Amino acid sequence: MARGRLRVYLGAAPGVGKTFAMLCEGRRGLERGRDVVVGFVETHGRPRTAELLDGMEVVPRKTIHYRGATFTEFDVDALIERKPKIALIDELAHTNVPGSRNTKRWLDIEEILDAGIDVVSTVNIQHLESLNDVVQQITGIPQRETVPDEVVRRADQIELVDMSPEALRRRMAHGNVYAPEKVNAALSNYFRVGNLTALRELALLWVAGKVDEQLDRYRADHGIDTTWEARERVVVALTGGPEGDTLVRRAARVAARTKGADLLAVHVTSADGLSGGDPANLARQRTLVESMGGTYHQVVGEDIPRALLDFAGGVNATQLVLGASRRGRFAQIFSRGVGVETTALSGTIDVHMITHAEAKRGRRRPERSHAALTAKRRLAGWAVAIAGMLGLTAALIPFRNDLSLPTEILFYLTTVVGVALIGGMWPAITAAVGGSLLLNYFFTPPVGEFTISDPENLFALIVFVLVAAMVSTIVDVAARRTREAARAGADAEILATLEGHVLRGEAALPSLLARVRETFGLTSVTLLERRPDTGGMPDDHTDPDAWRIIATTGGTPCTSPSTADTDVVIDENLVLAARGRLLDAADRRVLEAFAAETAVALRQQRLEEAAEQARPLAEADRMRTALLAAVSHDLRTPLASAKAAVESLSNTAIEWSEEDRRELLATADESLAKLDRLVANLLDMSRLQAGVLGVDHQPVALEEVVPRAVDDLGPLRDRVEGDLSVDLPEIVADPTLLERVLVNLMTNAVRYSPQDKRVVITASWHGDHVEIRVIDRGPGVPPDAHDRIFLPFQRLGDRDNGTGVGLGLALSRGLAEAMGGTLVPDETPGGGLTMILTLPISSRAVVS
């Protein structure tokens, strides 16, 4: 069975009309004679959306009972049994009621697509998983329901439903989105112009990324190699030289001239992996590229211009930034250079040649060892060259009348090759020159003289020397390359080991320095930072007072760069100082690369510390904002009620009956009591947040505190039933705070319990603590929301602001923990929520 096709209407914000657009498409399908049904649509009370449902077949919803409440959900089985051609299913990111077959609606839609049914669905940009934290940062409102980006990306068609912020706000003001009583609050919070503009940009950029994927796939499927300038992409080529920083910054400026342009950096290394740029420079330049919002890439290729253009064509680049050649004028006579070759082959890609301070200074090749072989092998080669040639001459002299000159030359050539294999190029060349002289003196007529009478013999000796030199050179180069390959493999292993510690989460600076110390066999490694009050004088490398130790590992740390055996300057303020031994050039290059990594780790650590320091400030700011909101709204209702009751009683123009007076006084008393509790909760919560709440720990008898707490409920006391054992021990608590906790818990329980069900408060003794349970028979709370109900200024499931500020449970948990106890929720058997308050028993009770 062919899988169904998915089409998604992606909304830039709530209310832009994605459900309306989906229903319009459904009606167009019906007019064309297609089998279209509505699987699930939520109209949110919008008349024009509801009108579109008239005359359309709607699959009945199924009923689910959960925690004593009844819900309706989308019926997957009914839709699959109906098997239409197209199904309209709203709210792709919706979370299903517990008890449904799937936890998420997008999983329901996957089943329907597998059944061969085409689906049209909707989702808002704020519900995409990758943008969840970004949207919360912009709007200040967390999105509880999300859908993985990949689910939407796999859709066969995605259509953006967009609207300017001003037009959407006008729609809301006209009552086309929310009910009139919610419009002002929405316009002042989530639907501010700035929020809508940011959400709109997020949606446009996300869809642009999806379009890029589709364009790349189309070009690949159709074999299109030419550049399509649908979007600016700037590629900067890095060689690993010091000019790379200049090129990256210039390329970033080029990309910044076009909104939404991409910046990519690429380094081409040879296929053997032995010739490449300076790893320290490349590491620093990679960090620079990523700090500017770009990406770093590395490709392998022998033909550098072709490799650069292949990469640029593969990413659909429009501009390529290259540095001016570092080779001198004489070198450019024999080869045009990478820049000229790339420009000649670039086609439709614009090539920028950027001059820099290193231009025409000549290429600085990486330092390498002058000796391809060990000293022992070179000495052995010299010994074989001298002894071998003399021995071979002595062995051949008795047979010189029986052997021809070519045969004798072959014997000497074999010896030269053996010397080259053992000792390398210079012993072999020496053996070749010496062999030619010996051949000339002992075997070439006239014998016994350094003269050659036959020109053919002269030619044979010259060829012998040239062949011997070439063979020895090839052997030496092969040995050198083998050694370089082994060194490169060792460096790669070191890099992989040191990089891997970051991937394993060992990102602390001491851990990174310890890895460096172990790898290079050093006694200590220290990261030094120049003190800001020194002014950065160039001669302060010997002054310990000018430097401070950021992190160190091993033995005695270096106090200044001059006290190190090897020091690597990361930037003008950071130096990596190592003690233990002097590092050779190859080891130093690797160390420089990881000195750059150390700087990145330091920057990340300081950003985390700054974020940690800012977190309490942000929390305090959030608390202040919430307190202001509470004072401006939730205090107003009881204050207004009390004021109205008092003003009515003080109005002498009206004669109140005794019953009216009692009712007004009761209203004023209830409002003032509510106001008193609310103010007390707000003040206690602010004291908890500031850590200045005073707690008086003392032995407390529950049978004294619980009745007082029940009495404090006022008219609600009749809905609470106590069941306390007389054998309970005393607990350690603050009587006043414990009473506050119990009042908050019982008030909350009564609010959510059915009218015909009483809230039960019980207590039991368990070892060294007592558990107090407040049990209700309300709708309960899903297990995954147990922690959320303790967040201040939130009420699970509430849609309005008329039932308090949501501080009761948050304050209760804070007070319980301040008294040394805990407060956790649990499910009530048969439905409901049980709050369990655990407090330690008194030592006096333990002794008794």
Side-chain angles (χ1 to χ4, degrees), residues 315-334:
V315 298
N316 200 25
T318 57
Q319 302 186 61
L320 181 60
V321 176
L322 302 175
S325 177
R326 284 184 283 152
R327 301 182 311 145
R329 297 193 179 196
F330 182 76
Q332 294 181 23
I333 297 175
F334 299 96

Side-chain angles (χ1 to χ4, degrees), residues 58 216 226 229 243 254 288 309 327 380-381 691 718 773 800:
V58 179
D216 291 342
T226 57
E229 299 186 18
E243 77 282 356
V254 172
L288 180 61
L309 291 173
R327 301 182 311 145
D718 296 335
R773 296 174 178 262
D800 59 81

Side-chain angles (χ1 to χ4, degrees), residues 67-69 749-750 752-760 774-780 827-834:
R67 295 184 180 274
V750 169
Y752 292 103
S753 287
Q755 289 291 333
D756 58 342
K757 300 289 185 179
R758 287 192 172 190
V759 172
V760 178
V774 179
I775 306 167
D776 68 57
R777 297 291 179 178
E827 297 182 11
T828 302
L833 183 68
T834 298

Side-chain angles (χ1 to χ4, degrees), residues 762-823:
T762 67
S764 55
W765 181 9
H766 303 276
D768 60 350
H769 63 274
V770 169
E771 289 185 355
I772 306 168
R773 296 174 178 262
V774 179
I775 306 167
D776 68 57
R777 297 291 179 178
V781 175
D784 59 353
H786 279 179
D787 288 335
R788 296 209 310 269
I789 64 176
F790 291 104
L791 296 176
F793 307 104
Q794 296 193 36
R795 295 174 303 281
L796 190 65
D798 285 355
R799 302 294 184 191
D800 59 81
N801 294 319
T803 55
V805 293
L807 273 179
L809 292 180
L811 178 61
S812 298
R813 171 172 275 189
L815 295 179
E817 293 174 350
M819 292 185 291
T822 60
L823 178 63

Side-chain angles (χ1 to χ4, degrees), residues 501-548:
H501 95 286
V502 177
L503 299 177
R504 290 190 295 271
E506 306 170 17
L509 274 175
S511 173
L512 179 59
L513 298 182
R515 296 276 184 172
V516 174
R517 184 179 66 84
E518 294 169 3
T519 300
F520 294 103
L522 303 169
T523 57
S524 71
V525 180
T526 307
L527 181 64
L528 298 173
E529 184 178 43
R530 193 190 306 271
R531 296 183 184 275
D533 53 355
T534 62
M537 300 299 294
D539 57 349
D540 62 3
H541 274 55
T542 60
D543 184 7
D545 295 333
W547 300 87
R548 61 184 176 189

